[in-house]
Amino acid sequence: MSEHLTPQSKASAICKKLATQVLRHGMTWTVFRPEHGVFLAKGNGHVLRLKPQQSLIFEYIPIPPSKAQASNAVCISSPLVDRLFFGILPGYRLFHLPDYHIGTTADIYATMYTLDSTGSATKKIRDNRHPSFAPKCLFGFSDIIPLASPMLRHRNSTIIRLPIPTEDTTGLLTHKEGFVTFRHRLDQLIASPQYTESPSLPVPYMVSCVRAKYHELMQQFQEWEDEVLANKQVNNRSMEFLDACHAAWDYCTTYLYSLVTTYGTLFYRDLMAAHLKNAVNWWHQAWNRMRAGTARDNYGLRDYIAEGMHLYWDYLELIVEEMEAKGWLHVQREVLREAWVVMVFRGFCWWRCHWMMEGQDMCDPPERMPSEYYVEMTEIPTTSEIREEEFVVVGKA
């Protein structure tokens, strides 16, 4: 470590290094108070304690194998995944997306505002999270995770577990109801008179491809639509299934990237933003339809979630109008619709290649690791490489 660093900056660097190192090893910070020199981490068969005395004591206590966590506790290891521990969602650089901070309520509002400067979507998220309603839910906004993130799963690996970067990651792109309703609406679109009765208007090529790939995955793998089965498997999902979902994600990515290169670097960002702006409305609108008796076919599944995906399809024309309002008038409407279908299917594929641990990266009191403690590390030092005198600085800060 550079000798010109002040004790304060040196202590900060040590904390960042320690925070990431411990999380990388599959452990969870239950206490992280660097200002007091108090640290406690548990998990993956070990406990780590740092206590301020005359100097800080570094303990590494193995837990008996009978109490050790199973292999499902292991997370994907990479610098991009490290960011999730700190509430930072890595943006897919191929689509010119930045990283998004979503670890705190303030971060969520700020991020949504960057995507929708009207503030209407931010207000809807705030309304949804009212203390007397659903204070931790992120209806619609959670779609940003599979839509903005790159593929984090490593090829030829069944390790798919990820830390959760925000309070709630579930949504219509994770639930069986979302999958099944999307499939039925896609089938209905292709069979609609606008295509069957108009020889001059063929079904968009990529819409047909998405339908074919969806049905192929559904017929070959029960866990494609069955989220309960998929979530039971976690790091034990079959390599064949993961490779098939990964390949479908690659296929969709290639198509969307071709649109980005053809129409402009902001194309995908604006498409995703238009989707999110509308998606945050689904929960209230679904329940309003339930109460009014106007909800549509739920296919024997949870009715309000199925209705939510019906609403996603209803939003498609609003998304097209939003894109045109942003200046994408030179892009044909059919291309915009086609791009949305591909984007949503690609989101399904992303989720089946990943699983986010639930509430395992909280501190006491419950909160994610502060984003200011994140530092990108391609190589994580071993505990023997961290000198005791460096921790003394932290305790005396």
Side-chain angles (χ1 to χ4, degrees):
M1 192 166 293
S2 301
E3 295 300 326
H4 68 275
L5 292 178
T6 65
Q8 289 76 19
S9 61
K10 186 176 182 182
S12 177
I14 298 293
C15 285
K16 293 177 180 179
K17 185 185 298 185
L18 177 65
T20 304
Q21 178 191 21
V22 168
L23 295 170
R24 271 269 189 110
H25 288 344
M27 304 174 73
T28 299
W29 285 111
T30 56
V31 180
F32 190 82
R33 298 173 184 160
E35 69 277 11
H36 299 123
V38 180
F39 304 85
L40 176 63
K42 300 179 181 179
N44 202 22
H46 296 86
V47 173
L48 181 150
R49 292 187 179 93
L50 288 169
K51 301 177 181 179
Q53 297 178 356
Q54 293 181 351
S55 63
L56 290 178
I57 299 174
F58 190 89
E59 299 177 301
Y60 201 57
I61 307 171
I63 293 177
S66 60
K67 297 182 180 180
Q69 296 180 354
S71 62
N72 276 342
V74 178
C75 284
I76 299 172
S77 179
S78 77
L80 289 178
V81 173
D82 288 342
R83 299 178 195 181
L84 298 175
F85 285 112
F86 300 85
I88 303 171
L89 179 69
Y92 193 35
R93 296 297 186 264
L94 194 65
F95 291 169
H96 304 278
L97 297 178
D99 291 347
Y100 294 103
H101 287 244
I102 58 174
T104 67
T105 299
D107 287 341
I108 292 166
Y109 295 159
T111 291
M112 189 66 250
Y113 190 80
T114 65
L115 297 170
D116 170 37
S117 59
T118 69
S120 63
T122 302
K123 182 179 183 302
K124 175 56 68 174
I125 297 173
R126 184 180 289 108
D127 292 344
N128 288 342
R129 291 168 63 84
H130 190 276
S132 63
F133 183 52
K136 292 188 177 182
C137 289
L138 293 173
F139 305 116
F141 178 80
S142 59
D143 290 351
I144 194 174
I145 295 173
L147 300 187
S149 173
M151 176 62 70
L152 299 173
R153 178 231 174 194
H154 299 306
R155 297 186 191 277
N156 303 315
S157 173
T158 60
I159 303 300
I160 61 170
R161 186 176 178 130
L162 295 171
I164 182 172
T166 191
E167 287 183 309
D168 183 34
T169 61
T170 60
L172 299 183
L173 303 189
T174 65
H175 293 311
K176 182 176 183 178
E177 291 81 359
F179 279 69
V180 173
T181 306
F182 178 87
R183 166 168 55 87
H184 282 280
R185 289 295 299 261
L186 184 61
D187 290 345
Q188 292 167 17
L189 173 66
I190 291 176
S192 64
Q194 71 181 90
Y195 295 124
T196 59
E197 299 178 5
S198 177
S200 62
L201 184 63
V203 177
Y205 176 74
M206 283 301 297
V207 171
S208 297
C209 288
V210 165
R211 181 182 183 275
K213 289 184 180 297
Y214 188 106
H215 280 265
E216 182 180 345
L217 290 167
M218 179 184 68
Q219 292 164 6
Q220 292 185 11
F221 306 103
Q222 184 180 352
E223 58 267 49
W224 167 248
E225 286 190 338
D226 191 340
E227 65 177 311
V228 175
L229 176 59
N231 290 344
K232 284 181 179 178
Q233 296 170 336
V234 189
N235 285 339
N236 295 313
R237 293 179 191 174
S238 74
M239 186 75 75
E240 182 183 7
F241 173 62
L242 291 172
D243 286 348
C245 294
H246 199 143
W249 185 91
D250 286 339
Y251 185 81
C252 294
T253 299
T254 299
Y255 166 75
L256 291 170
Y257 179 64
S258 71
L259 298 183
V260 171
T261 56
T262 300
Y263 297 115
T265 57
L266 293 179
F267 178 84
Y268 183 86
R269 177 194 178 279
D270 284 351
L271 181 66
M272 180 185 73
H275 169 84
L276 294 174
K277 179 180 179 179
N278 289 278
V280 297
N281 296 307
W282 80 262
W283 201 90
H284 273 293
Q285 293 182 1
W287 276 106
N288 287 340
R289 279 182 163 270
M290 297 288 296
R291 297 186 187 99
T294 58
R296 288 155 284 191
D297 197 340
N298 59 36
Y299 311 105
L301 302 171
R302 288 177 292 182
D303 44 16
Y304 69 98
I305 300 180
E307 182 59 31
M309 182 52 73
H310 281 299
L311 287 165
Y312 269 23
W313 281 90
D314 295 346
Y315 298 151
L316 181 50
E317 293 310 306
L318 296 176
I319 291 170
V320 170
E321 292 174 6
E322 180 78 12
M323 289 292 284
E324 291 179 341
K326 290 183 176 180
W328 300 101
L329 293 167
H330 56 295
V331 183
Q332 295 181 355
R333 285 193 158 204
E334 281 301 302
V335 172
L336 295 174
R337 297 186 186 102
E338 184 179 41
W340 179 84
V341 169
V342 174
M343 180 179 70
V344 172
F345 174 67
R346 180 174 173 271
F348 288 140
C349 295
W350 189 96
W351 267 121
R352 287 300 181 255
C353 289
H354 303 91
W355 187 84
M356 285 197 167
M357 54 201 287
E358 299 173 350
Q360 296 301 308
D361 60 330
M362 303 295 188
C363 294
D364 183 22
E367 57 185 12
R368 254 147 298 283
M369 293 294 295
S371 59
E372 60 265 26
Y373 280 103
Y374 169 73
V375 60
E376 183 168 341
M377 300 177 68
T378 55
E379 295 182 5
I380 302 301
T382 63
T383 54
S384 61
E385 294 176 319
I386 302 177
R387 300 191 302 275
E388 178 180 336
E389 61 267 22
E390 292 178 332
F391 287 112
V392 176
V393 175
V394 179
K396 294 180 179 180

